[in-house]
Amino acid sequence: MTYDLTPTTKIENYEFAFSGYQRISTYLTEQIVNQLKKKADVTIAIECYPGVDTDDLKQQLVDKLPVDQSYFADDYAMTPESLNQKVADTVTDDRVLGVMSHYQVADFYPDIKTVRADIVTGSGVTVVYGTGATVLASNPDILIYCDLARWEIQLRYRAGMPNWQQDNADEDPLRKFKRGYFFEWRMADRLKRQLLPKTDYLLDTNDKSEPKLITGKDLLASLKVLTKQPYRTVPYFDASVWGGQWMKQHFDLPDNGQNYGWAFDGVPEENSLYFQYGKVRIEVPAMDLMLTNPESILGDRVFARFGAEFPIRFDYLDTMSGGNLSLQVHPMTEYIKDKYGMAYTQDESYYILDAKSDSSVYLGLKDGIDHKQLATDFYKSAAGEIKFPDEKYVNHLPAKKHDHFLIPAGTIHCGGSDTVVLEISATPYIFTFKMWDWGRIGLDGKPRPLHVDEGLENLQYNRTTDWVQKNLVNQFTPLTTNSHERVERTGLHATLEFIDTNRHWIKDEAVLKTQGSVNMLNLVEGEEAMIESTTGDFAPFHVNYGETFIVPSGVKTYRIHNLHPENGEIGVLQAFVKE
């Protein structure tokens, strides 16, 4: 079997699923007519996630409905100038880093009462559409939510789409992404969390040529299905200046003329979910599951600590026939909280999925280095005056398949070339302080952003060669051995990182426990496996080599079958939040 690029959950019982604006507008017209039989005035709110093409929505849907008056919500929001003044503290001047926003969508509508009064006094059929539609029409007769995946938003940024309420089509996509990550998506998700439980219809707008409509009740029921069974998020892949060719070959990816350095497979904040309703496939952000069912997925203990945030992420870093990653540091917890408004930081690890004879990882500082000279050389290299002498300051360690390097925040690190890394980390992935990037230019033709000041403020100088070897390299501890499997703890750091990982080498089958936490797993060795319920509560779930999958905390126990025991053991890496 091959890596599944479109993991999809089939839904058996549902009311309907329509595709195409013509069929959708016909159906919605029927619902409006039915409402008019009950009351003289009908209000429809079409709430849009930032990034939805509202011009297309108006032309293809709003204008096709039997409407007496329509309001474009964005017209009543703050002017771009006023909005920018208000959010300057969260967007910042930095190219990639901002401060987590606590704004609500309603904060950007200065005259809500007046517009609401106009809507209430309108006669016949009134449609309010756009981002903030439900702020202005707070009690609509029909509520439609237009959803959009974050990867699609990023692709639209690159293609020239501006941010919400901005005229910045030509701006650096990194700045657009930053504005979305720190500001727009935060306020939109807060509103979405309130709206999904009472949404009448979900409109999937990811494919402009083929929008899709289901009922809000069917969406909630579909999301509920995933709280009781294993599931996968929809992976996406992206090129990088250091990217390699391994994933292209092993995951049957299309030739993009470059490389695939990144694979986001197991990043619920970024990935999507696919649901199949008959012939119609709906795509929704995986965050919708966290916004509606966080406790069921995470478990009581993890939810109490992190709230409605998925705290673990898996992704791939492919440098086969590529180059080194950047030499970097992640912020310490107190730093990321004070400066960026995050409650926890990006502790992580590198699990080596594949390697060549010369594969390597840079990790920790060498013994006896001059700290002042280190800082001086970082600044000189950032200014282009010298090539940073990494061999003088940083440990360069050999890496082989199935090694595991632990990287608590504050540890200088870098993945080497000719290596495939399964990166296991805490969710706040954007907070990377690049200190040296080997003098490269990004794929956009611009120098990649460096954050030497921030890196030096967080660099832990006591993590030197001996400490690294004793604490961060292959910290394997045998846990269980029997006739079916052998289990070993592989990390992460026992006291500095909240994620734990166990590696299961399974001969035929093994029963795993969720450990009171959501589990994220990857088949790191072997062709394929089957995940089964020990209680018969879910259908067998198939996984292929390299696929990341999630098991909700409430499953408690599950069985993993090696489908080809004649070929030897399979390896499954299991991550969870430790007690």
Side-chain angles (χ1 to χ4, degrees):
M1 299 293 289
T2 58
Y3 183 94
D4 187 358
L5 296 171
T6 58
T8 304
T9 301
K10 185 178 181 180
I11 303 300
E12 299 290 349
N13 300 311
Y14 59 95
E15 186 173 346
F16 67 80
F18 299 141
S19 63
Y21 274 125
Q22 182 174 350
R23 181 68 183 90
I24 292 170
S25 61
T26 298
Y27 173 81
L28 291 176
T29 296
E30 293 171 355
Q31 303 312 303
I32 292 169
V33 171
N34 289 338
Q35 288 283 336
L36 289 171
K37 294 176 181 178
K38 304 173 186 176
K39 53 190 302 188
D41 304 318
V42 175
T43 301
I44 302 108
I46 308 177
E47 182 67 50
C48 298
Y49 204 83
V52 170
D53 188 335
T54 49
D55 288 339
D56 191 55
L57 182 72
K58 180 179 188 301
Q59 295 172 11
Q60 300 295 331
L61 181 61
V62 175
D63 289 348
K64 303 294 177 62
L65 300 176
V67 175
D68 294 296
Q69 54 269 325
S70 65
Y71 294 80
F72 180 37
D74 301 50
D75 285 343
Y76 300 90
M78 283 183 174
T79 65
E81 295 77 12
S82 298
L83 189 150
N84 286 337
Q85 289 178 8
K86 188 177 183 70
V87 303
D89 60 334
T90 193
V91 173
T92 77
D93 292 328
D94 191 276
R95 189 179 174 199
V96 296
L97 297 174
V99 178
M100 282 297 184
S101 164
H102 288 83
Y103 290 115
Q104 307 282 343
V105 174
D107 294 336
F108 301 94
Y109 285 84
D111 200 17
I112 294 175
K113 290 184 179 179
T114 300
V115 182
R116 282 180 177 173
D118 288 344
I119 293 171
V120 169
T121 57
S123 59
V125 178
T126 301
V127 172
V128 186
Y129 69 100
T131 299
T134 53
V135 171
L136 303 180
S138 57
N139 189 31
D141 298 290
I142 299 175
L143 171 56
I144 303 167
Y145 194 95
C146 297
D147 218 345
L148 190 62
R150 288 191 182 174
W151 177 231
E152 175 61 23
I153 295 173
Q154 293 177 60
L155 293 176
R156 293 184 186 186
Y157 285 156
R158 295 178 188 180
M161 182 185 76
N163 288 97
W164 182 65
Q165 292 296 94
Q166 296 295 295
D167 182 18
N168 66 337
D170 297 327
E171 190 175 30
D172 179 358
L174 285 179
R175 291 186 178 275
K176 293 182 186 178
F177 173 81
K178 177 194 68 171
R179 191 179 184 95
Y181 182 92
F182 287 97
F183 165 48
E184 294 172 3
W185 303 344
R186 306 302 153 183
M187 69 167 185
D189 282 346
R190 292 187 184 100
L191 181 59
K192 186 196 285 190
R193 182 182 300 165
Q194 300 171 25
L195 296 180
L196 286 183
K198 54 186 179 182
T199 291
D200 295 302
Y201 304 103
L202 184 284
L203 185 63
D204 171 6
T205 67
N206 287 284
D207 184 346
K208 292 183 181 182
S209 66
E210 191 179 7
K212 296 145 187 175
L213 188 78
I214 59 172
T215 69
K217 289 182 179 179
D218 282 338
L219 171 65
L220 294 179
S222 301
L223 293 170
K224 197 73 174 178
V225 167
L226 298 187
T227 68
K228 301 176 182 179
Q229 67 176 53
Y231 66 93
R232 288 189 63 213
T233 59
V234 180
Y236 68 87
F237 304 83
D238 204 8
S240 173
V241 67
W242 39 257
Q245 303 297 318
W246 187 93
M247 290 189 297
K248 188 183 294 187
Q249 299 165 4
H250 286 75
F251 294 165
D252 197 25
L253 301 177
D255 189 351
N256 62 353
Q258 300 182 69
N259 62 69
Y260 289 102
W262 293 97
F264 291 81
D265 182 1
V267 188
E269 186 173 323
E270 292 285 317
N271 290 136
S272 298
L273 300 168
Y274 282 158
F275 293 108
Q276 192 74 33
Y277 304 86
K279 296 182 179 180
V280 176
R281 187 178 71 189
I282 296 286
E283 179 179 5
V284 297
M287 273 300 294
D288 288 3
L289 182 57
M290 293 306 299
L291 296 176
T292 55
N293 296 277
E295 289 181 83
S296 298
I297 296 294
L298 301 178
D300 294 342
R301 172 173 58 83
V302 179
F303 176 70
R305 180 173 179 182
F306 295 98
E309 292 188 20
F310 201 104
I312 308 171
R313 67 187 290 266
F314 281 14
D315 64 83
Y316 283 116
L317 309 172
D318 175 3
T319 65
M320 283 289 185
S321 301
N324 295 335
L325 306 181
S326 61
L327 199 58
Q328 59 190 243
V329 171
H330 299 303
M332 302 297 287
T333 299
E334 62 272 21
Y335 189 92
I336 199 172
K337 183 176 181 180
D338 290 345
K339 191 163 184 176
Y340 303 112
M342 289 295 300
Y344 59 104
T345 192
Q346 188 176 334
D347 292 312
E348 65 182 24
S349 69
Y350 286 172
Y351 187 89
I352 308 302
L353 195 70
D354 206 351
K356 293 185 177 180
S357 58
D358 61 345
S359 297
S360 63
V361 166
Y362 296 78
L363 188 62
L365 297 170
K366 290 187 175 180
D367 294 319
I369 63 172
D370 185 323
H371 297 173
K372 290 185 178 179
Q373 188 60 46
L374 170 68
T376 297
D377 285 348
F378 268 128
Y379 285 121
K380 284 184 175 181
S381 63
E385 298 174 12
I386 64 169
K387 173 186 178 296
F388 181 75
D390 58 278
E391 69 285 349
K392 178 179 178 180
Y393 297 111
V394 183
N395 298 310
H396 191 191
L397 308 176
K400 63 183 185 300
K401 188 173 182 177
H402 294 308
D403 281 349
H404 200 177
F405 298 89
L406 315 182
I407 312 172
T411 308
I412 195 165
H413 64 282
C414 171
S417 61
D418 286 333
T419 308
V420 181
V421 169
L422 174 63
E423 187 177 44
I424 302 167
S425 76
T427 302
Y429 64 93
I430 198 174
F431 300 94
T432 297
F433 302 142
K434 296 182 182 70
M435 304 180 73
W436 168 240
D437 197 36
W438 316 97
R440 293 177 296 209
I441 299 296
L443 295 179
D444 58 2
K446 302 176 182 178
R448 299 221 298 162
L450 299 177
H451 290 86
V452 175
D453 287 340
E454 293 86 347
L456 290 172
E457 288 185 64
N458 288 273
L459 184 58
Q460 300 299 293
Y461 292 96
N462 62 332
R463 295 178 188 170
T464 54
T465 307
D466 187 56
W467 189 91
V468 166
Q469 290 286 359
K470 290 181 179 178
N471 292 274
L472 303 183
V473 180
N474 290 339
Q475 301 299 296
F476 301 150
T477 303
L479 298 178
T480 301
T481 300
N482 55 46
S483 60
H484 300 286
E485 68 165 339
R486 53 191 174 94
V487 186
E488 53 200 348
R489 182 184 182 275
T490 73
L492 281 52
H493 192 276
T495 57
L496 298 178
E497 302 182 270
F498 67 79
I499 298 171
D500 218 344
T501 55
N502 290 342
R503 184 169 58 192
H504 300 258
W505 296 106
I506 302 171
K507 296 179 181 178
D508 48 12
E509 63 177 34
V511 174
L512 279 65
K513 296 180 180 179
T514 57
Q515 310 288 347
S517 162
V518 64
N519 286 191
M520 185 169 276
L521 308 97
N522 188 284
L523 184 61
V524 296
E525 186 69 44
E527 183 180 351
E528 53 184 339
M530 191 70 75
I531 318 303
E532 295 182 346
S533 173
T534 57
T535 56
D537 290 335
F538 60 81
F541 184 84
H542 184 269
V543 294
N544 300 304
Y545 172 68
E547 292 180 352
T548 293
F549 61 102
I550 296 168
V551 178
S553 174
V555 170
K556 298 190 185 311
T557 62
Y558 51 99
R559 182 179 292 105
I560 299 183
H561 271 287
N562 179 355
L563 294 180
H564 301 284
E566 69 279 5
N567 294 334
E569 299 174 321
I570 59 171
V572 178
L573 199 67
Q574 174 195 26
F576 51 91
V577 177
K578 66 181 72 168
E579 293 189 35

